[in-house]
C-alpha cells in the first residue's frame, strides 16, 4: 500500500532504516530495555563487539589508527567492520544516524586492502579510515532527505558533494550519514522522519545541533572522525554537549559545495562552514591539512585557494578572555572550567586579558544573526514542513516566528543588517589588533548539555559565524595525546 499521510511516509522510512542494521548487529531486547541514561559503555559490554573491535574503536584516535593502517597492523576491512558495528549499536541507543551504507563501505575497504596488498602503497593520506558525514552531504546512490517528510520521495543523490569527493580521493571510507534537526536551524537534533538524537552521556539531554548525530556518534566512538556543518554553532554545540572535539573553520576554507540545503539558495550575510568532530586536536589538524591541501577551489567556486600552513610555535600566548552574556549567565560547571583554564594558562606563562569592557554583545549579535536567517521572504525551510503536512518540532520556536510574518524583509533591511554586521566585525578585529591577541577563550554556552528542547538560541556561538572567525569549544581541559583516551 502506498503511504499517503506524513505519518505513514515517516514510518516507512523508519522501517527501512531499521532494516539497514544486520540482524547479528542488533542489540538484545534486554539491553535496550535496561540501558541506563548513560550508554557510553554499552558497546563495550553488550557482547556484539570482539575484543579486537573494541581495541580498534576505543584505543586510538584517527591519527593513530591511520599509522596502524599504513603499517599493515590492521586492514581497512577490519577497521571498517568495527566502526560499522559500533555505529549500528550507537544508532539503536541514540538515534544518531539517517543512512547506513555498510555494504558499500565494506566493498570500498576491501578494494583499498587489495591495492595495498598488491602495491604496498596506501591510497591517499586517509587510506582505509572510516569517516562519518552529516546528512546534508551528498553521496551517489544514498538518499539525502534532511529529515523532511517532503523529501522522502526524492531520488538518491547522483553526484558527490565537493568534500565527499575530496575524502574519497584521499582514501577515506564513508559508511554512515548522521541525524540533524528539522530545518538544520536549531540546537536540538530532532525531526519527524529519523527521530530525536539522544545524548549518550544522559539520554534525557540534548546532543546539540545541528550536527547532533555526529556529536553522539563520535562520543559513542561509533566514528573516529566525523564531519559536520556550522552556521550558528552547529559543530561546536554538539561537541560541547557530547564532550568531543569540534572545530568551525573560517567560511570557505573547507569546501561546502554540493550539499543539499534546507533553505533557499542565495543566502547572504552569514556563510556556513564545514568542520570536524573528533577525538583529539591533532585529528582536527589532520582533517584540515588533508582537505586544504587537496585544492578545494577545483571543486567549489567559493573555496579559498589557501593550502594548509601550520602556525609557527610561540612560547608565550596572549589570550583574550570573553565575558559571559548577562542574559545567560554562566552556570557553575562552565565557570569552573573557564577559571581552571585561566589558572592553567597563567601558570604556564601565558598572558590572559579580561575583555569584559571590550567584547561585543553576544545577545545582540545573536539577534542580528536571527534576522539574517529570517530574510527569506518565502520561508523556504518552513514551507518544506507545512507542504508535507508534518508538524514543527518544538525547538523551532527559538529560531523562527512560526506564525506567518506580518511584513516581508526589504532591501533596506538587508542594507541595515550588513551595516550592523560590519560594526560587529570591526569590534572583533579591534579585539585582536589592539590587544595583540593570539586567540580567544570563552564559553560555548552557559552550561553543559541541557534537557531536550530547552537549549534555546545559540547566543554564545553565532557571533563567530557573524564575523567569520574560526573557533572550537572547550568543554573541559581534557586533552588526547598519542592516540589514547
Amino acid at each position: 500500500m502506498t503511504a499517503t499521510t506524513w505519518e505513514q511516509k515517516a514510518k516507512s522510512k523508519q522501517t527501512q532504516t531499521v532494516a539497514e542494521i544486520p540482524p547479528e548487529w542488533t542489540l538484545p531486547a534486554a539491553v535496550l530495555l535496561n540501558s541506563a541514561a548513560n550508554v557510553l559503555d554499552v558497546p563495550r559490554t553488550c557482547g556484539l563487539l570482539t575484543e579486537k573491535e573494541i581495541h580498534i574503536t576505543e584505543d586510538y584516535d584517527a591519527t593513530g589508527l591511520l599509522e596502524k593502517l599504513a603499517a599493515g597492523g590492521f586492514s581497512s576491512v577490519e577497521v571498517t567492520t568495527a566502526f560499522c558495528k559500533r555505529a549500528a549499536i550507537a544508532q539503536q541507543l541514540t538515534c544518531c544516524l539517517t543512512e547506513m551504507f555498510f555494504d558499500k563501505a565494506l566493498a570500498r575497504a576491501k578494494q583499498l586492502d587489495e591495492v595495498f596488498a598488491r602495491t604496498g602503497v596506501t591510497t591517499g593520506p586517509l587510506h582505509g579510515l572510516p569517516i562519518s558525514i552529516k546528512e546534508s552531504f551528498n553521496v551517489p546512490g544514498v538518499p539525502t532527505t534532511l529529515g523532511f517528510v517532503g523529501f522522502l520521495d526524492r531520488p538518491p543523490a547522483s553526484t558527490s558533494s565537493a568534500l565527499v569527493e575530496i575524502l574519497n580521493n584521499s582514501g577515506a571510507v564513508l559508511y554512515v550519514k548522521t541525524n540533524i534537526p528539522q530545518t538544520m536551524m536549531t540546537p536540538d537534533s530532532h525531526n519527524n522522519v529519523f527521530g530525536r538524537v539522544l545524548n549518550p552521556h544522559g539520554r534525557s539531554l540534548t546532543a546539540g545541533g545541528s550536527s547532533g548525530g555526529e556529536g553522539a556518534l563520535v562520543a559513542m566512538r561509533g566514528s573516529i572522525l566525523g564531519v559536520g556543518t556550522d552556521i550558528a554553532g552547529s559543530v561546536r554545540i554538539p561537541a560541547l554537549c557530547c564532550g568531543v572535539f569540534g572545530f568551525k573553520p573560517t567560511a570557505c576554507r573547507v569546501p561546502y559545495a554540493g550539499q543539499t540545503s534546507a533553505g533557499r539558495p542565495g543566502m547572504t550575510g552569514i556563510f556556513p562552514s564545514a568542520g570536524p568532530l573528533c577525538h583529539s586536536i591533532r585529528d582536527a589538524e589532520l582533517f584540515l591539512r588533508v582537505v586544504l591541501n587537496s585544492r578545494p577551489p577545483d571543486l567549489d567556486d567559493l573555496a579559498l585557494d589557501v593550502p594548509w600552513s601550520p602556525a609557527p610555535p610561540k612560547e608565550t600566548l596572549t589570550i583574550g578572555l570573553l565575558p559571559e552574556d548577562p542574559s545567560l549567565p554562566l552556570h557553575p560547571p562552565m565557570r569552573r572550567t573557564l577559571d581552571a583554564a585561566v589558572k592553567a594558562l597563567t601558570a604556564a606563562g601565558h598572558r590572559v586579558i579580561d575583555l569584559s569592557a571590550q567584547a561585543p554583545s553576544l545577545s545582540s549579535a545573536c539577534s542580528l544573526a536571527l534576522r539574517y536567517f529570517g530574510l527569506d521572504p518565502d520561508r523556504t525551510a518552513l514551507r518544506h514542513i507545512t507542504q508535507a503536512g508534518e508538524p514543527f518540532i518544538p525547538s523551532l520556536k527559538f529560531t523562527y516566528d512560526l506564525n506567518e510574518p506580518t511584513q516581508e524583509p526589504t532591501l533596506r533591511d538587508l542594507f541595515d543588517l550588513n551595516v550592523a554586521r560590519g560594526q560587529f566585525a570591526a569590534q572583533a578585529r579591534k579585539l585582536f589588533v589592539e590587544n595583540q591577541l593570539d586567540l580567544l577563550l570563552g564559553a560555548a554556552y552557559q552550561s553543559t548539555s541541557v534537557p531536550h528542547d530547552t537549549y534555546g538560541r545559540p547566543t554564545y556561538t553565532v557571533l563567530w559565524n557573524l564575523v567569520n572567525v574560526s573557533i572550537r569549544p572547550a568543554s573541559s581541559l581534557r586533552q588526547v595525546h598519542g592516540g589514547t583516551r
Side-chain angles (χ1 to χ4, degrees), residues 32-71:
L32 291 172
L33 290 173
N34 298 327
S35 293
N38 185 314
V39 293
L40 290 170
D41 288 337
V42 172
R44 185 187 310 115
T45 61
C46 67
L48 295 183
L49 298 177
T50 67
E51 287 298 320
K52 188 172 187 179
E53 288 166 345
I54 293 171
H55 172 58
I56 288 171
T57 54
E58 292 192 0
D59 294 337
Y60 298 90
D61 63 357
T63 305
L65 202 52
L66 281 170
E67 292 170 355
K68 290 287 288 188
L69 284 161

Side-chain angles (χ1 to χ4, degrees), residues 108 123-126 162-172 294 299:
R108 159 80 164 167
T123 303
L126 299 177
L163 184 57
V164 166
E165 188 165 339
I166 286 175
L167 295 176
N168 279 327
N169 290 341
S170 299
S294 298
L299 299 170

Side-chain angles (χ1 to χ4, degrees), residues 17 28 52 88 106 141 164-165 200 233 245 252 256 265 275 285 318 394 398 451 458 460 464:
T17 302
K52 188 172 187 179
L106 290 168
V164 166
E165 188 165 339
F245 287 88
C252 301
Y256 201 88
E285 179 179 330
T318 301
F398 296 114
Y460 277 89
W464 310 111

